[in-house]
């Protein structure tokens, strides 16, 4: 990508958080060495999304690990903030380490963890019907919350013959996360539990799609938002969404005591990561290795529809070549 591909907005005020709408975007590659140094000095905490920023599926994005490890070496506090609900925090940490990132479980904030933390926090003591995968199941188990629903629930010839006694009367919440086994019976059960007003309705995130590696371009991998919308439609209810850019994760992070003005949010999606950063008053860096493309960015800018990031890089690792010696 050429530097011209990202519209320049100016270089002033890199050390200040910026909540206001920008009419254009600044390409960090066009910054002088002094400005890059000023940028690096302007934050103490780095929150980074994972899929599409640090890795794609099981492959590290070149340079991302070195960039994150460099931030750590500078003394920045690091947190990995992911809407992905398919793994427990220790598995995320293990994956990050395998791909070359220094990371510990305590630095991982995933939506599976948030879902368990939320229910534990409100003293939930019933059972969860989980339209999701093992990541959420394990996090629920670790806080002592019972669950049902994980794994295949295939369509039977007489599937419409489901009766109330097929439902578990102990269920008091439905959680929707990513579930590769989604099926019509699962949607029926989720909506039937939610027919009771007392039943809580929680979703991990509403991402439309998963980012894909180069060989996968042209194939759309539907994200959790697809399943959340399906359950919202048939239950005629709205889910409490825990992940970025929503309020719960914001309050969770703010309670950790970080200074928003000196926090950098790195992401690959404008409508989750950057929106989240803007809502929190963080500085924002968009990388173009995941979902939001340069074309999307230009469209957002031309249509004047925020959020736009404060700075942009083609990929996170590009920051390494900009570091003043
Ligand atoms: Mg991402």
């Amino acid at each position: 990508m050429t530097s011209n591909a990202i519209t320049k907005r100016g270089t002033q005020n890199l050390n200040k958080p910026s909540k206001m709408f920008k009419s254009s975007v600044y390409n960090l590659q066009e910054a002088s060495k002094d400005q890059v140094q000023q940028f690096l000095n302007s934050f103490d905490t780095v929150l980074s999304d994972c899929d599409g920023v640090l890795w794609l599926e099981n492959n590290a994005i070149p340079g991302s690990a070195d960039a994150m490890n460099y931030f750590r070496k500078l003394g920045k506090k690091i947190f990995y903030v992911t809407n992905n609900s398919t793994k427990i925090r220790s598995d995320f940490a293990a994956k990050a380490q395998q791909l070359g990132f220094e990371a510990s479980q305590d630095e991982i904030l995933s939506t599976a963890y948030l879902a368990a933390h939320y229910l534990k926090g409100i003293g939930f003591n019933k059972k969860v019907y989980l339209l999701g995968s093992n990541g959420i199941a394990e996090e629920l188990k670790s806080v002592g919350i019972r669950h049902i629903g994980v794994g295949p629930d295939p369509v039977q010839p007489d599937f419409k013959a489901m009766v109330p006694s097929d439902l578990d009367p102990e269920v008091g919440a439905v959680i929707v996360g990513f579930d590769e086994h989604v099926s019509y019976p699962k949607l029926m059960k989720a909506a039937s539990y939610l027919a009771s007003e007392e039943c809580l309705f929680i979703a991990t995130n509403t991402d439309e799609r998963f980012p894909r590696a180069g060989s996968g371009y042209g194939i759309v991998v539907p994200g959790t938002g697809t399943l959340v919308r399906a359950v919202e439609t048939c239950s005629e209810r709205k889910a409490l969404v825990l992940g970025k850019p929503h309020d719960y994760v914001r309050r969770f992070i703010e309670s950790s005591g970080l200074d928003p003005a000196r926090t950098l949010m790195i992401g690959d999606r404008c409508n989750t990561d950057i929106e989240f950063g803007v809502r929190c008053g963080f500085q924002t860096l968009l990388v173009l290795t995941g979902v939001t493309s340069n074309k999307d960015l230009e469209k957002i800018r031309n249509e004047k529809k925020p959020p736009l990031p404060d700075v942009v890089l083609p990929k996170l690792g590009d920051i390494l070549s900009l570091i003043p010696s």
Side-chain angles (χ1 to χ4, degrees):
M1 171 168 311
T2 66
S3 58
N4 287 338
I6 305 167
T7 306
K8 185 175 177 179
R9 73 158 162 80
T11 56
Q12 68 280 18
N13 294 332
L14 277 180
N15 59 339
K16 290 182 184 168
S18 179
K19 293 179 205 170
M20 58 191 164
F21 172 64
K22 300 282 187 249
S23 60
S24 59
V25 170
Y26 178 59
N27 179 359
L28 203 53
Q29 285 185 312
E30 292 179 355
S32 67
K33 295 279 181 197
D34 280 354
Q35 287 163 335
V36 172
Q37 189 60 61
Q38 204 184 346
F39 174 70
L40 291 170
N41 290 346
S42 70
F43 52 89
D44 305 318
T45 303
V46 177
L47 309 180
S48 183
D49 176 51
C50 298
D51 298 285
V53 176
L54 307 181
W55 55 69
L56 284 164
E57 292 155 29
N58 291 316
N59 299 304
I61 295 171
S64 287
D66 289 339
M68 292 301 287
N69 295 344
Y70 175 74
F71 291 147
R72 187 185 297 273
K73 218 166 80 183
L74 292 178
K76 316 290 187 195
K77 257 207 262 181
I78 307 282
F79 292 99
Y80 301 92
V81 187
T82 176
N83 274 356
N84 191 313
S85 65
T86 62
K87 290 185 178 63
I88 56 172
R89 290 187 304 156
S90 56
D91 286 347
F92 269 118
K95 175 175 180 174
Q97 288 159 8
Q98 270 170 13
L99 295 178
F101 297 85
E102 290 174 42
S104 69
Q105 178 178 317
D106 294 342
E107 294 169 339
I108 312 284
L109 197 52
S110 72
T111 48
Y113 171 71
L114 285 176
H117 184 274
Y118 173 78
L119 286 179
K120 190 186 170 203
I122 61 169
F124 181 81
N125 59 9
K126 297 188 84 178
K127 211 182 267 185
V128 170
Y129 179 71
L130 181 52
L131 205 155
S133 59
N134 275 326
I136 304 168
E138 289 296 314
E139 293 284 9
L140 288 173
K141 200 172 143 196
S142 74
V143 296
I145 294 176
R146 298 164 298 154
H147 60 84
I148 55 169
V150 175
D153 190 351
V155 179
Q156 306 297 331
D158 60 344
F159 65 95
K160 283 187 186 166
M162 191 182 288
V163 292
S165 60
D166 292 329
L167 301 176
D168 184 332
E170 286 194 80
V171 167
V174 170
I175 298 181
V176 181
F178 180 71
D179 187 345
E180 70 270 38
H181 297 294
V182 63
S183 65
Y184 202 85
K186 286 192 176 201
L187 295 174
M188 277 181 81
K189 285 176 188 167
S192 300
Y193 286 121
L194 289 168
S196 160
E197 279 178 19
E198 287 81 47
C199 185
L200 303 174
F201 184 12
I202 295 160
T204 56
N205 64 298
T206 52
D207 292 32
E208 297 89 353
R209 297 174 175 190
F210 284 93
R212 288 302 303 270
S215 61
Y217 286 139
I219 299 297
V220 171
V221 185
T224 304
T226 316
L227 314 187
V228 175
R229 296 295 178 239
V231 177
E232 285 185 337
T233 302
C234 57
S235 67
E236 301 179 332
R237 288 180 57 175
K238 282 279 175 202
L240 170 69
V241 185
L242 300 180
K244 294 170 289 183
H246 296 279
D247 211 46
Y248 185 72
V249 66
R250 180 176 65 78
R251 282 186 282 125
F252 188 93
I253 285 178
E254 285 175 353
S255 69
S256 72
L258 53 74
D259 177 0
R262 294 194 53 82
T263 297
L264 175 69
M265 175 73 212
I266 307 171
D268 71 300
R269 300 176 66 109
C270 279
N271 70 346
T272 54
D273 305 319
I274 302 306
E275 173 72 31
F276 173 68
V278 170
R279 285 187 192 183
C280 293
F282 302 155
Q283 298 186 74
T284 54
L285 164 61
L286 179 79
V287 295
L288 302 175
T289 42
V291 170
T292 299
S293 65
N294 189 50
K295 204 170 140 199
D296 297 329
L297 201 52
E298 289 199 2
K299 197 172 162 214
I300 295 168
R301 182 173 54 81
N302 291 336
E303 292 176 359
K304 293 187 167 45
K305 282 187 183 163
L308 279 167
D310 294 314
V311 285
V312 180
L313 276 175
K315 64 179 193 299
L316 182 56
D318 289 334
I319 201 159
L320 297 167
S321 63
L322 307 176
I323 293 165
S325 49

